[in-house]
Amino acid sequence: MDRDRSESDRDESPRGVDRARSGSDRDDRSRGADRDDRVSDSERPRGDADRGERRGFADRGARSVRDDRSRSGSESGAARSGDFGGDDRRRGGEGARTTGGRPDDRRAARPEEPDLPEDVQASDLDPAVRRDLLSLDKNNADSVARHMVMAVELLEDDPRLALAHARAARQRAGRIAVVRETAGVVAYHAEEWAEALSELRTARRMSGGAGLLAVMADCERGLGRPERAIELGRSEEAQTLTGDEAAELRMVVAGARMDLGQFDQAVVTLQASDLDPSRTGSAAARLFYAYADALVAAGRTDDGLQWFLNAAAADLDDETDAEDRATELTGDAQ
């Protein structure tokens, strides 16, 4: 019963990125990226069998990067924390101080970076996110912003190339929290669970708060470590989450329980006041769907059927296959 969240679409952008630009004219950018060799073999996923259900959860991570800024203000966590000091904090940011050569040498595109189309501009990035890049040299900030725009624009159609752009932005501005956060979310979409987890941990150390905790927990599931996902759900940081963020984490923890065959516990995990059939919208539909799936897995088929119907009624944008699941159960009953 690993179908929870399998039908949710990845239709959201990392924080602040305007996705109005069409991706249809990017077909010539087929060059991919090498797998990040910073990820140790011990953290690589154990298998691909259970990945399908996590793809639907990816929209949460993208939405969080775009507009669920749990940290205070728009200033980057790296700039606030002061964890890079001295002259490196001057305007010029990453690599501002060079040894030998011309000062502008560092501005040239790195050989491993994907090409940036001329019509993609830094101004396509949300101003709030661009302000986080102010510690960088202007030319470098522009390149970082353009890579971030491309990372999101390609997220659905070419997640590997999107990840190459996210890595390029990280390489140029690894001390900016929002850049690391975006790299983590894009890696999550590309199913690079270990890399995503590493980037999101780094972003949280820079900026603080419990943002994207649900995505991190889902990465643990992707790495075949559902117990760690459950531990994150019990953490002190998890207790600070409210609303949809808390619901998303509950869905991940319930999925981890199901990974372990603990179906009754998964049902209990999802039970809260927001499990209200009168609600509508994407968040409600996915929550109802996850609850229905857990109920069916626990052998409570009639209850599961009702909640699939509730999910279908709440799903105004047809993001799930709740109606099909309900039809399947009805057919089985007959």
Side-chain angles (χ1 to χ4, degrees):
M1 293 294 180
D2 290 337
R3 300 182 61 173
D4 56 304
R5 301 187 306 281
S6 63
E7 298 300 321
S8 298
D9 296 326
R10 293 170 292 155
D11 58 354
E12 301 284 354
S13 307
R15 179 172 62 212
V17 180
D18 180 1
R19 298 186 59 201
R21 306 181 60 86
S22 170
S24 61
D25 59 347
R26 312 296 183 207
D27 294 340
D28 61 328
R29 290 186 294 281
S30 58
R31 179 155 58 94
D34 294 334
R35 189 180 182 90
D36 192 341
D37 56 11
R38 295 181 306 124
V39 179
S40 66
D41 290 339
S42 64
E43 285 197 294
R44 303 226 183 250
R46 302 174 186 173
D48 297 338
D50 64 339
R51 290 185 177 180
E53 66 187 68
R54 264 177 296 280
R55 302 311 299 132
F57 184 70
D59 72 326
R60 174 61 196 162
R63 183 165 59 251
S64 297
V65 172
R66 186 189 64 191
D67 58 9
D68 288 343
R69 307 185 65 166
S70 58
R71 58 198 172 96
S72 59
S74 61
E75 182 184 17
S76 75
R80 272 205 324 276
S81 65
D83 58 356
F84 55 98
D87 289 340
D88 285 344
R89 291 194 65 184
R90 302 179 312 163
R91 192 171 182 83
E94 300 289 300
R97 295 176 64 86
T98 58
T99 303
R102 300 191 309 275
D104 288 340
D105 283 350
R106 64 183 177 79
R107 295 176 183 171
R110 278 68 165 178
E112 64 272 24
E113 289 186 1
D115 295 334
L116 285 168
E118 293 183 1
D119 61 332
V120 173
Q121 302 298 321
S123 58
D124 294 334
L125 194 65
D126 183 88
V129 179
R130 290 176 63 195
R131 282 196 295 271
D132 284 352
L133 307 181
L134 287 178
S135 63
L136 304 176
D137 171 85
K138 184 180 185 303
N139 287 349
N140 192 32
D142 285 351
S143 294
V144 170
R146 294 170 68 199
H147 278 300
M148 291 175 73
V149 171
M150 287 301 300
V152 178
E153 188 167 304
L154 293 165
L155 200 57
E156 293 184 10
D157 297 332
D158 194 343
R160 301 303 307 179
L161 185 52
L163 182 56
H165 282 284
R167 287 170 173 168
R170 180 198 63 205
Q171 179 173 284
R172 287 176 170 270
R175 291 171 175 169
I176 306 298
V178 69
V179 174
R180 302 303 289 267
E181 187 177 89
T182 300
V185 169
V186 176
Y188 176 86
H189 278 257
E191 300 186 358
E192 292 287 353
W193 313 120
E195 181 177 350
L197 191 58
S198 175
E199 294 298 329
L200 294 175
R201 283 172 176 166
T202 300
R204 287 175 62 215
R205 284 197 298 271
M206 290 177 171
S207 61
L212 299 179
L213 192 63
V215 182
M216 294 175 63
D218 215 32
C219 288
E220 295 286 10
R221 290 183 65 201
L223 290 166
R225 304 188 300 222
E227 297 90 349
R228 294 194 185 183
I230 294 171
E231 289 175 7
L232 283 175
R234 293 170 173 166
S235 66
E236 291 184 5
E237 290 176 322
Q239 308 311 309
T240 68
L241 298 178
T242 59
D244 289 344
E245 287 188 336
E248 295 287 356
L249 183 56
R250 295 202 331 268
M251 283 190 275
V252 176
V253 172
R257 292 288 188 187
M258 293 176 71
D259 293 342
L260 296 170
Q262 300 172 357
F263 305 121
D264 290 329
Q265 291 94 321
V267 170
V268 173
T269 297
L270 291 167
Q271 291 174 339
S273 59
D274 55 358
L275 203 61
D276 179 356
S278 67
R279 295 177 59 207
T280 59
S282 175
R286 288 184 295 105
L287 176 60
F288 299 168
Y289 189 103
Y291 187 53
D293 209 29
L295 287 166
V296 172
R300 298 169 56 180
T301 305
D302 290 342
D303 291 336
L305 172 59
Q306 183 56 56
W307 279 98
F308 275 127
L309 293 173
N310 292 340
D315 191 359
L316 305 179
D317 297 320
D318 294 326
E319 294 184 8
T320 73
D321 67 342
E323 188 171 350
D324 292 337
R325 293 294 303 278
T327 299
E328 290 175 7
L329 291 175
T330 303
D332 290 342
Q334 292 176 347

